[in-house]
Each structure stands twice: as structure tokens, then as C-alpha cells.
């Protein structure tokens, strides 16, 4: 946390948890909370057989341990929808790993984006293990966060695999699908896009949720977005603050109006 001086910062809840100063953990009141945030692996491979081979052989637990070696808590989810959003499901995504079908020959090299600085060795080991399982080579390509943001929203992309995080304050569905269907991959999914358009125009909440579930399952069935985890992190507040109520209307953090000193 650059430039941090004791007593100069009071709110540490929007910075990476591993960057929170150690003294805060002992001095502040903390509690664990599951955020309305999901992290998924986007599989930008147009060839359907290759895409499914990659999707099915990447173990979420192994990848997140390699990508976030300093990570603490991860919550398994079955689709890109995090728990707290209607239609979300806890548990692991369905996968059946196997090598490429006969006749496909040697798989092309798959470019995996790495936008972190402390995981190079771990990702290389992960790539080696993945090749043993699938016969598919991963090339780890370093990006800065700035360059990745520019890359994500312009077709065509220079990557095949990229991890993205999606979060909301209120449990709305649109944000979890819009960029995956419209920007993050270089091929179209017209059936899912049609469902998305229906969902955004639907006023009945149950119908909207049913359509969201179909889209989320469709992204898994098409092997486009592999759900890796839902974020779990500790929230920290000064010890003099009381009456912290979390979860009203699915909001992930306490409302300041409820605080008492």
C-alpha cells in the first residue's frame, strides 16, 4: 500500500486483501464475507472441440492456487453467477477431462494471460501439469492490468485464456453476461445472445431469473466461461464502529447509515 501512514487511512476494504497492513488485522474489527463477485476463466477458442478439451481439463482449484499463491479463501460455484444472485448454484462445474479427439493432431499453442507479478513459477508448473493431462501446451503471456483492459474489449484478441472478475452491488444478472457475449471472445454465440436480449427486456423477475439460469448454463455447456470461484474476504472496520449489519437486500457491505459510534 504505497504512501500509507498510520492513521492516514481508515477504509481498507477496496484494496487487495494481501496488501492490507498487518497492524490493521489486530487493531480493527473484522468479519468474513462472501462478495457478489465471481472469477471465471474465459476460453477464447473458436474450434469447439479444442475449446471443450481446454475447458474440461483445467481444474479450478489447481488454477486458482497457481494464479493466486497468496489467496486465502475460495468458494466453489457452478456457473458464472455468484451466490446471492438469483439462480446461482454452489458446487463445482461439471468437467470430464480427456485428450483431444483422434484426428485433431497436435493442438496449437494456447496463450494464457497473466496479469500478476508473484506467480510465474506456479503458473509454469500448472502449464506443465496441464500438458500432461490434455496434450495441450499453454504459453503464459505477461500483461499489465492497463494493457489487459485495453485488450479485453477489442476484437480480435491476442489471447486464448484470460481470468476475469465480475462483481455487482445489487443482485442483477446483466453484468455477468454482457461482456462475455459481446467482447471477451472472438466468436458469436447467437442463441445465448438472443436469450440475453430477452432477459434484459423481461420485467417479470421469475422469468428473468429463469432466462439468466439458461444463459449461465449455456456458457458452461459451450465451454466459454469456466467458473473458478466466488470471492470470500475479510472486511475491516475501526473498533469504535458498531451495529454493522451485512446482507440487507443482498448488499455485500454494511450501510454507513446503520453505523453507530
Amino acid at each position: 500500500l504505497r504512501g500509507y501512514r498510520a492513521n492516514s487511512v481508515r477504509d481498507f476494504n477496496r484494496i487487495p486483501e494481501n496488501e492490507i497492513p498487518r497492524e490493521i488485522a489486530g487493531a480493527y474489527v473484522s468479519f468474513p464475507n462472501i462478495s457478489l463477485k465471481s472469477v471465471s476463466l474465459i476460453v477464447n477458442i473458436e474450434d469447439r472441440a479444442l475449446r471443450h478439451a481446454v475447458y474440461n481439463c483445467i481444474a479450478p482449484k489447481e488454477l486458482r492456487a497457481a494464479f493466486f499463491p497468496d489467496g486465502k479463501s475460495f468458494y466453489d460455484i457452478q456457473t458464472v453467477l455468484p451466490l446471492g444472485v438469483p439462480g446461482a448454484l454452489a458446487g463445482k462445474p461439471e468437467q470430464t477431462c480427456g485428450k483431444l479427439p483422434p484426428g485433431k493432431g497436435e493442438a496449437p499453442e494456447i496463450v494464457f494471460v497473466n496479469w500478476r507479478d508473484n506467480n510465474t513459477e506456479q503458473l509454469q508448473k500448472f502449464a506443465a501439469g496441464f500438458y500432461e493431462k490434455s496434450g495441450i501446451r499453454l504459453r503464459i503471456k505477461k500483461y499489465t492490468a492497463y494493457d489487459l483492459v485495453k485488450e479485453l474489449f477489442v476484437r480480435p484478441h491476442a489471447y486464448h485464456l484470460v481470468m476475469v472478475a465480475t462483481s455487482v452491488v445489487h443482485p442483477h444478472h446483466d453484468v455477468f453476461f454482457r461482456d462475455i457475449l459481446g467482447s471477451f471472445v472472438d466468436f458469436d454465440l447467437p442463441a445465448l445472445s438472443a436469450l440475453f436480449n430477452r432477459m434484459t427486456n423481461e420485467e417479470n423477475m421469475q422469468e428473468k431469473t429463469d432466462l439468466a439460469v439458461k444463459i449461465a448454463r449455456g456458457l458452461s455447456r459451450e465451454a466459454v466461461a469456466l467458473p473458478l470461484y466466488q470471492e470470500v474476504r475479510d472486511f475491516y472496520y475501526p473498533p469504535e464502529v458498531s451495529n454493522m449489519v451485512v446482507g440487507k437486500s443482498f448488499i455485500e457491505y454494511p450501510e454507513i447509515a446503520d453505523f453507530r459510534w
Side-chain angles (χ1 to χ4, degrees):
L1 189 61
R2 295 178 182 175
Y4 165 72
R5 299 187 308 276
N7 299 320
S8 66
V9 180
R10 300 291 277 171
D11 185 352
F12 295 87
N13 294 320
R14 289 301 172 191
I15 65 174
E17 194 167 4
N18 62 295
E19 293 186 14
I20 295 176
R22 291 182 179 180
E23 61 267 25
I24 294 304
Y28 274 38
V29 175
S30 67
F31 56 88
N33 192 52
I34 301 179
S35 304
L36 294 180
K37 178 179 181 178
S38 65
V39 176
S40 303
L41 180 72
I42 303 303
V43 186
N44 180 34
I45 300 173
E46 189 167 3
D47 183 281
R48 197 170 190 274
L50 179 57
R51 186 168 74 243
H52 277 261
V54 171
Y55 178 100
N56 281 303
C57 284
I58 288 184
K61 183 177 181 179
E62 295 176 6
L63 176 55
R64 66 201 188 199
F67 201 88
F68 299 104
D70 53 1
K72 294 182 178 179
S73 300
F74 302 101
Y75 200 92
D76 290 322
I77 48 177
Q78 290 190 37
T79 70
V80 297
L81 297 177
L83 297 184
V85 174
L89 293 171
K92 299 177 181 179
E94 295 184 5
Q95 293 175 292
T96 303
C97 182
K99 294 200 174 184
L100 279 176
K104 279 291 177 183
E106 185 174 352
E109 192 174 62
I110 303 299
V111 175
F112 183 107
V113 170
N114 180 25
W115 39 265
R116 290 176 62 86
D117 296 319
N118 66 337
N119 60 2
T120 301
E121 182 180 349
Q122 292 90 337
L123 281 180
Q124 292 296 344
K125 289 181 179 178
F126 173 83
F130 180 76
Y131 177 71
E132 290 297 319
K133 287 193 299 183
S134 67
I136 301 171
R137 297 186 186 278
L138 298 183
R139 178 165 66 89
I140 312 300
K141 184 175 181 180
K142 189 70 176 68
Y143 273 72
T144 65
Y146 176 78
D147 288 336
L148 178 57
V149 169
K150 291 193 299 181
E151 172 79 16
L152 280 173
F153 297 98
V154 180
R155 288 180 169 184
H157 303 88
Y159 63 75
H160 298 104
L161 301 174
V162 62
M163 292 174 65
V164 297
T166 309
S167 63
V168 291
V169 174
H170 297 286
H172 300 312
H173 298 100
D174 303 28
V175 69
F176 294 100
F177 307 132
R178 181 181 294 109
D179 291 331
I180 297 176
L181 293 172
S183 300
F184 292 167
V185 296
D186 294 328
F187 50 92
D188 296 323
L189 298 164
L192 294 182
S193 294
L195 287 176
F196 177 77
N197 290 334
R198 285 177 54 193
M199 184 194 74
T200 55
N201 293 318
E202 180 58 60
E203 296 182 358
N204 181 282
M205 284 306 300
Q206 185 57 57
E207 291 292 331
K208 184 183 286 286
T209 296
D210 292 344
L211 289 168
V213 169
K214 289 180 180 178
I215 298 169
R217 290 176 176 171
L219 289 173
S220 297
R221 186 176 58 252
E222 290 292 336
V224 173
L226 175 64
L228 298 177
Y229 66 91
Q230 180 167 353
E231 184 181 79
V232 181
R233 64 169 293 163
D234 289 335
F235 277 52
Y236 295 87
Y237 287 90
E240 65 269 21
V241 176
S242 61
N243 199 43
M244 290 182 291
V245 180
V246 183
K248 294 170 66 175
S249 301
F250 292 103
I251 297 176
E252 68 181 40
Y253 48 80
E255 293 188 9
I256 294 176
D258 293 330
F259 286 0
R260 298 293 181 269
W261 284 264

